[in-house]
Amino acid sequence: MSKTNMEIFETLESEVRSYCRDFPTVFTKAKEHKLWDENGKEYIDFFSGAGALNYGHNDQKMKEKLIEYIMDDGITHSLDKATSAKAEFIEKFNEVILKPRDLDYKMMFPGPTGTNAVESALKLARKVTGRTDIISFTRGFHGMTIGSLSVTGNASKRKGAGVPLNHTVTMPYDQFVDEKDSLDYLERYLEDDGSGVDLPAAMIVETVQGEGGINAARFDWLKRVEEICHRFNILLIVDDIQAGIGRTGTFFSFEKAGIKPDIVCLSKSLSGYGLPFAVALFRPELDVWSPGEHNGTFRGNNHAFVTASAALDYWKDEKFEESIEQKSELTLTFLNEIVEKYPELNGKVKGRGLMVGIECENGEVADQVTSEAFERGLIMETAGMDGEVFKLFPAVNIDDAALKAGLEIIEESVRAVVKEPVTN
Amino acid sequence: MSKTNMEIFETLESEVRSYCRDFPTVFTKAKEHKLWDENGKEYIDFFSGAGALNYGHNDQKMKEKLIEYIMDDGITHSLDKATSAKAEFIEKFNEVILKPRDLDYKMMFPGPTGTNAVESALKLARKVTGRTDIISFTRGFHGMTIGSLSVTGNASKRKGAGVPLNHTVTMPYDQFVDEKDSLDYLERYLEDDGSGVDLPAAMIVETVQGEGGINAARFDWLKRVEEICHRFNILLIVDDIQAGIGRTGTFFSFEKAGIKPDIVCLSKSLSGYGLPFAVALFRPELDVWSPGEHNGTFRGNNHAFVTASAALDYWKDEKFEESIEQKSELTLTFLNEIVEKYPELNGKVKGRGLMVGIECENGEVADQVTSEAFERGLIMETAGMDGEVFKLFPAVNIDDAALKAGLEIIEESVRAVVKEPVTN
Amino acid sequence: MSKTNMEIFETLESEVRSYCRDFPTVFTKAKEHKLWDENGKEYIDFFSGAGALNYGHNDQKMKEKLIEYIMDDGITHSLDKATSAKAEFIEKFNEVILKPRDLDYKMMFPGPTGTNAVESALKLARKVTGRTDIISFTRGFHGMTIGSLSVTGNASKRKGAGVPLNHTVTMPYDQFVDEKDSLDYLERYLEDDGSGVDLPAAMIVETVQGEGGINAARFDWLKRVEEICHRFNILLIVDDIQAGIGRTGTFFSFEKAGIKPDIVCLSKSLSGYGLPFAVALFRPELDVWSPGEHNGTFRGNNHAFVTASAALDYWKDEKFEESIEQKSELTLTFLNEIVEKYPELNGKVKGRGLMVGIECENGEVADQVTSEAFERGLIMETAGMDGEVFKLFPAVNIDDAALKAGLEIIEESVRAVVKEPVTN
Amino acid sequence: MSKTNMEIFETLESEVRSYCRDFPTVFTKAKEHKLWDENGKEYIDFFSGAGALNYGHNDQKMKEKLIEYIMDDGITHSLDKATSAKAEFIEKFNEVILKPRDLDYKMMFPGPTGTNAVESALKLARKVTGRTDIISFTRGFHGMTIGSLSVTGNASKRKGAGVPLNHTVTMPYDQFVDEKDSLDYLERYLEDDGSGVDLPAAMIVETVQGEGGINAARFDWLKRVEEICHRFNILLIVDDIQAGIGRTGTFFSFEKAGIKPDIVCLSKSLSGYGLPFAVALFRPELDVWSPGEHNGTFRGNNHAFVTASAALDYWKDEKFEESIEQKSELTLTFLNEIVEKYPELNGKVKGRGLMVGIECENGEVADQVTSEAFERGLIMETAGMDGEVFKLFPAVNIDDAALKAGLEIIEESVRAVVKEPVTN
């Protein structure tokens, strides 16, 4: 095959395209933590599809299951008809994930993307409570459709809506202003009848904010959010789309915080293989939906059911969480060293588990680091309002050698950047 | 494998599930126009995934391409990074579909579902025009996320939003009130400065309404919609998610109407294989997006690129459209005969191409017909506000024998129903 | 006193001022149907404060009562404390107006302006029904605060809101499109569950639209509006602020149509003397307000109570309505003659009672007529989207000689205009 | 005249009535700080029409001017035509109030009530900036029409809207949470692009909140609000409807804070006589209104122009402010003594100038105090979310003897209440 002309994208694809501008090459193949482009160059992937490839690319066991299923002409598309692949996923998810964590959630298949899950969570919260408002948090990111966008903080994304985004109140996320607990404010708003903040249906929160700049809320803060929700009879929605499925060390990111959300949104790495898939989970008492009240053409993506079921096997092994923790510690140590070793970077370590990064002085510096890394064969993106955080999202099952190789490239990249200090 | 217990779905899946209630069996396998359940019973599929399986199930050529791609560890998930699979799709879609139809649209990959495409179309129209309102039409259906839901007519779906749906005006679809042209009203609203209807950013219309009851707008009506849009400098969005990709006989459903929408939404059968996939197409002058202004985790579903490229081969063959037309005529003749032959049905033939149905006196009758058909091995759903239309959506490449076999089952089912007249 | 410098207004008053631009002189005195400016020039008033001075200026009997009240240090401002002046008004309004018309409305004092009455009517309708939407009609005008503006049709006024105006649906007023009954459309919208028009709390309608261009709805049309409201359990609000209090011949403008609105808004001429005053009237069953749920500083304007009570005496005399009718006929005959006699005007007679006018070809012509009239000592304004209607609003108790003198000036003005045909 | 039956109100007036429930008697006459009911009982008025009667009732000089004007058949109602009475007011307001304070505001007459002024201020701010959102503050009160209600904090008033109140963000007023400066939060929201708070058109603030519980913002806090507005190019609106016109000691309540708002809303005591009247004042550069873009039937209430002009004479006398200050000190000393002397009251002194009160433990206690006072011939109301503050609003020109007599009644009332401690 002759080489692909990047002009195809520049001429025929909309200006809205973005990552192909940051990583200007045509990718052809991927396996585990590795990607190759059409020039045969190999890359270590510390991007992981923005959290959609926590198990790496094209996991061998999932791949075999998927091929077998396709070969056998298994149902591909089923809306919400009953299929054997779906039954297997539901049952296995209940056995492997929910039961051991003492969670008796019902499962809803709202369409195959994160924003479908968020939109259905908001709808459900409003229906259950009969209230309209949702409290979201500063720097939160929940999706691009109007309902999800209304609980998203990013100003430029919000402006893209083209209409005012209403029925939501944004409250300060942990450490948004300073180290003090921002929840004193939130609580005052709710308890005072003259605050102008109407009692909301729900609060929606990420335990670690990805797009917002890899901000990890303290467990105490999350616990108090839950307490406030209970006090005022507000539903607690955890959007675990990016932080969940092992990214911070446990299947759900909120496990160590000791909270039990009323509704949980999952997507991204849920299929394990990078296939579109999402679920909303909720307490059985909240299941007040009428049949078909929320629907969607691709809510029955059976290929995803197949690979998602296979992915659950990882969680049967008790050592899996331990291995993520060990990699997390290795990474954290590395990042702390980098910050100390290169004071010119003026960096700050952020995040939790394998959802970590370094906040640089500004977006330009962070961007230079990721560009240097790309040159050296490492794929990594930035986050934060100005893109000021470079973000490490290796596969959670990456082997130690590859992890270290990646970290080494990062150090080289940082070194290259601080040697030539940024001048504005 | 032992049989799947339907209890899995009843216990663990949300009450929102719907089709599994209408077709209470567990499906395991599918090929072309056929489905099998775990009891080995074979069904003819006149449902086609609500229009997501226009080429039938698991098309052999697409399947081979897909398996080959997976075997080779082709990129599965890429966000909007450049991949060879994506480049091939873009280029082939342009060559096979756009160019021959003299359409120079840019392509946007807004996420893999129809509602992603609609939401991005609405955003773009608002951004381009600086206006907030959208005109939609009675009985229109455009999706379940808040933006799309706000242009959807169905009262119970709208109520599910839990918030008022704003920034939209609903106008009468062709023949909503009577045979007269409802566009006199629409035009008066737009030309009168005291009408209370603000100049909208866009109108969004389906050429044939699926969910709304298989209502086909007359070509003259569609042409006049376009003229009014031009007169007032309003963008015309055609939501071709259900009616497009061959369902009414041509690739785009609006080709025969002789109109050229500013924005087109495609999804459902776009991947050819039932995989989640959607695009928004628009005139190059409208491409005012900033990079990443709209994004989404699964906008780069490469498996869908692969099968969608393979699906385009159907459209290289000039005889393909003819064959759909021939099947459409056969089906139409059959439906007209049924209505005449069974006056007790009080039926009315509706639709265009292979997007057709019979409107019965009420939903109960239509439901009895589809239930009788299911018993006899034919899968078919109902549409309309009361579910009063039973809906024929065979694969557009179904062979004549299978088509006739399906029609025969329908006649038997109708006969069974009218023999036992409904009593309320 | 030296003459007032118009510069005071030009320098210190906002650009939002308008009538002082059309009538560029400083007025000092007024009596009955006459106004004088500081140059001593006398004007006949066919404007009547846009309907706020239906009994003419400074009515002698009301004036005496008011002066007496002020001299005695009667309560001026009382919020909604009980005062003797208020008690007298309430009781007399009930005796003289409501009882004889078999109306058992409760009275609410929502603040002293029309828009206060409309806002409270909308609030009440929403509270009673638990629904959010209001149906208003094309060309309707109901006030300038956000709630009232959202049911007002005028595009430039709406734009002034600076925010999208929501929770309302605008339906075609009688003869908006053509002579056919526009209510077929309205009814279809309400009866079809897929129309996208949610069941509204109320419809708000003017029986004759003032600002909208002196459009009189046919009685049959109004009756059918009421029937549709009853059919769907929607509240009917008549905004009688401009058309009420004798303007169209009866106290309430809807009496001859034979309808009984659920809620009625009155203001403008209610005080009789031009003082700020408004009430909302509604069926007792709708009185679900909590104490103080809607309030306002000037809801107890006792001077207005005093003059309003005095004004009610007009309605004790059975011949009062007859005299208005006789003047209305005289005026109507005159207008018809004008249209016939000056075909160059291309005029069309509009309105009902003493709320009438001639629609000219465009706003420029109508404007020329009112300017010529102003020169000749007659004050008259225009209405309609382009100001294309010149509008006759004499006091309803004007004497015949003055009425004829005014009409004569109009004829002279028309003659002056058509002699010099407009050239664009 | 026989006595008025309170049944008139109970039978014919809506349940929305409120003050007549707290002060269950029929008032007939008023002079300066005194009111009389139909039983001849005399009351000292510490309510002053909720701030609409700052100069007391029926001020003799204003009364004479008003009677003279009415006797001469001066124009009563003029919309915004030029009248000599309006010219006099505009000129005198500029000379006596604006110029000496170095304020070069344009004047807008938006209709005769406070909410008209607020609605027009919000419209103007949105038009000038092209933005939609307004920042308001917790416990703020700005009016009952939908635009004003959307910036009002009170939950039960908001609920009365019957529709979601949008396009506003409510921020913590000074000392809402604790003694710390709440503006750190506000500023963070504005400077962070991910906060979810869009850049607003304006902030609207009361320097002392009346309805909200007599909360006085510290001058430093107000100054910082102004600085933040300047930093982000946000317009600053001071709603001086209740705190202005001498209530806190100066004509505008913000004078001592050293700030210069972009827009100021005045009403209540503006006419001096309790007549409906309001203005919006704004910097000339903001005067981007089109003629008639905002209008209203009663924006030319000439009786109010006449008394308002007379009222301005108070402000010509330099000693007027001093005398208010002296009365304020006397009152403050008294309140502090009460709190100290009656620890059972658990009271807290609140407010500024003659806009003061004591916050009691709960609404029940405060209510008992005002009831005891009413019995003893003093009229006083409560404020705050639970009505927990009893509120002293004497006329600002009350003589010292009357002031002391009123205070004495308050002490007696407090004593009566604390002697019988409240039991829940």
Side-chain angles (χ1 to χ4, degrees), chain C residues 79-333:
Chain C
L79 289 151
D80 63 1
K81 292 202 290 282
T83 69
S84 45
K86 183 174 178 179
E88 190 192 342
F89 171 75
I90 291 177
E91 201 166 23
K92 197 164 172 185
F93 188 80
N94 191 44
E95 291 301 321
V96 178
I97 302 298
L98 296 182
K99 273 196 188 164
R101 286 165 183 80
D102 201 24
L103 297 166
D104 64 340
Y105 293 137
K106 295 287 283 280
M107 292 180 220
M108 173 181 179
F109 300 86
T113 71
T115 198
N116 296 124
V118 170
E119 293 256 353
S120 60
L122 302 184
K123 279 187 189 178
L124 184 62
R126 284 163 168 151
K127 183 168 189 186
V128 166
T129 60
R131 306 173 204 143
T132 53
D133 282 8
I134 306 288
I135 283 183
S136 58
F137 290 92
T138 55
R139 296 282 188 98
F141 182 93
H142 302 284
M144 287 291 100
T145 50
I146 295 297
S148 303
L149 196 49
S150 70
V151 286
T152 290
N154 186 301
S156 85
K157 305 272 188 215
R158 289 173 71 83
K159 213 181 151 196
V163 287
L165 296 169
N166 289 318
H167 314 306
T168 58
V169 177
T170 180
M171 286 286 162
Y173 194 70
D174 191 23
Q175 308 187 52
F176 178 65
V177 179
D178 50 33
E179 295 294 315
K180 282 173 302 188
D181 193 339
S182 63
L183 297 171
D184 289 352
Y185 274 75
L186 171 50
E187 201 159 18
R188 272 297 287 135
Y189 270 107
L190 292 173
E191 73 193 8
D192 193 283
D193 269 351
S195 73
V197 170
D198 304 321
L199 189 66
M203 298 194 199
I204 185 164
V205 69
E206 300 152 285
T207 64
V208 185
Q209 297 181 323
E211 301 297 303
I214 314 297
N215 311 308
R218 292 170 290 193
F219 290 146
D220 279 355
W221 187 88
L222 290 167
K223 260 186 129 61
R224 192 171 166 205
V225 167
E226 188 187 51
E227 283 162 18
I228 294 172
C229 283
H230 288 173
R231 177 178 167 201
F232 292 98
N233 198 20
I234 296 165
L235 297 178
L236 176 59
I237 304 170
V238 169
D239 176 342
D240 226 14
I241 292 170
Q242 186 157 157
I245 327 256
R247 182 45 64 195
T248 64
T250 47
F251 187 83
F252 295 110
S253 73
F254 53 78
E255 296 177 31
K256 286 191 183 157
I259 62 172
K260 217 171 213 175
D262 297 291
I263 307 180
V264 180
C265 300
L266 291 179
S267 182
K268 288 200 185 270
S269 282
L270 182 62
S271 82
Y273 207 76
L275 300 175
F277 190 24
V279 297
L281 308 171
F282 36 80
R283 286 194 291 109
E285 307 80 48
L286 307 181
D287 192 14
V288 298
W289 288 109
S290 308
E293 192 172 359
H294 178 101
N295 60 23
T297 296
F298 297 110
R299 64 196 188 274
N301 182 17
N302 285 262
H303 289 189
F305 295 149
V306 169
T307 57
S309 294
L312 293 174
D313 288 336
Y314 276 103
W315 298 94
K316 287 182 170 169
D317 180 356
E318 289 177 6
K319 293 195 182 141
F320 187 53
E321 290 194 6
E322 282 171 34
S323 78
I324 304 177
E325 189 162 338
Q326 173 257 322
K327 284 185 241 299
S328 300
E329 273 166 28
L330 193 155
T331 307
L332 187 65
T333 304

Side-chain angles (χ1 to χ4, degrees), chain D residues 208-234:
Chain D
V208 185
Q209 297 180 323
E211 301 297 304
I214 314 297
N215 311 310
R218 292 170 289 191
F219 291 147
D220 280 354
W221 188 89
L222 290 167
K223 260 187 129 63
R224 191 171 168 206
V225 166
E226 187 187 52
E227 283 162 18
I228 294 172
C229 283
H230 289 174
R231 177 178 168 201
F232 292 99
N233 198 21
I234 296 165

Side-chain angles (χ1 to χ4, degrees), chain C residues 1 4 6 8-9 11-21 23 25-31 35 47 49-50 52-53 57-58 63 66-67 70-77 79-84 86-87 90-91 94 106-109 112-113 115-116 119 123 126 131-132 141 144-147 149 156-157 160-164 167 267-268 273-277 282 287 289-295 297-299 301 303, chain D residues 1 4 6 8-9 11-21 23 25-31 35 47 49-50 52-53 57-58 63 66-67 70-77 79-84 86-87 90-91 94 106-109 112-113 115-116 119 123 126 131-132 141 144-147 149 156-157 160-164 167 267-268 273-277 282 287 289-295 297-299 301 303:
Chain C
M1 188 171 63
T4 305
M6 281 296 279
I8 290 174
F9 300 96
T11 318
L12 296 171
E13 191 179 358
S14 163
E15 293 300 321
V16 81
R17 70 194 185 281
S18 61
Y19 285 118
C20 59
R21 301 171 194 260
F23 310 118
T25 191
V26 177
F27 295 96
T28 53
K29 202 180 141 172
K31 194 70 186 175
L35 277 163
F47 175 30
L53 293 163
H57 295 264
N58 300 329
K63 172 177 166 179
L66 178 58
I67 287 178
I70 297 173
M71 297 286 276
D72 287 353
D73 285 323
I75 307 284
T76 300
H77 175 278
L79 289 151
D80 63 1
K81 292 202 290 282
T83 69
S84 45
K86 183 174 178 179
I90 291 177
E91 201 166 23
N94 191 44
K106 295 287 283 280
M107 292 180 220
M108 173 181 179
F109 300 86
T113 71
T115 198
N116 296 124
E119 293 256 353
K123 279 187 189 178
R126 284 163 168 151
R131 306 173 204 143
T132 53
F141 182 93
M144 287 291 100
T145 50
I146 295 297
L149 196 49
S156 85
K157 305 272 188 215
V163 287
H167 314 306
S267 182
K268 288 200 185 270
Y273 207 76
L275 300 175
F277 190 24
F282 36 80
D287 192 14
W289 288 109
S290 308
E293 192 172 359
H294 178 101
N295 60 23
T297 296
F298 297 110
R299 64 196 188 274
N301 182 17
H303 289 189
Chain D
M1 189 170 63
T4 304
M6 280 296 279
I8 290 174
F9 300 95
T11 319
L12 296 171
E13 190 178 359
S14 162
E15 293 301 320
V16 81
R17 70 193 185 281
S18 62
Y19 285 118
C20 59
R21 301 173 194 260
F23 310 119
T25 189
V26 177
F27 296 95
T28 53
K29 203 178 139 173
K31 194 70 184 175
L35 278 162
F47 174 31
L53 293 163
H57 295 264
N58 301 330
K63 172 177 166 179
L66 178 59
I67 286 178
I70 298 173
M71 297 285 278
D72 287 352
D73 284 324
I75 306 285
T76 300
H77 175 280
L79 289 152
D80 63 0
K81 293 201 289 284
T83 68
S84 45
K86 183 175 180 179
I90 291 177
E91 203 167 20
N94 191 45
K106 297 285 284 280
M107 292 179 221
M108 171 180 179
F109 301 86
T113 71
T115 197
N116 296 126
E119 294 257 351
K123 279 187 189 180
R126 285 164 168 152
R131 305 174 204 142
T132 53
F141 182 93
M144 288 290 101
T145 51
I146 295 296
L149 196 49
S156 86
K157 305 273 187 214
V163 288
H167 314 306
S267 181
K268 288 201 184 270
Y273 207 75
L275 300 175
F277 189 24
F282 35 81
D287 192 14
W289 288 109
S290 308
E293 192 172 359
H294 178 99
N295 60 22
T297 296
F298 296 111
R299 63 198 190 274
N301 182 17
H303 289 190

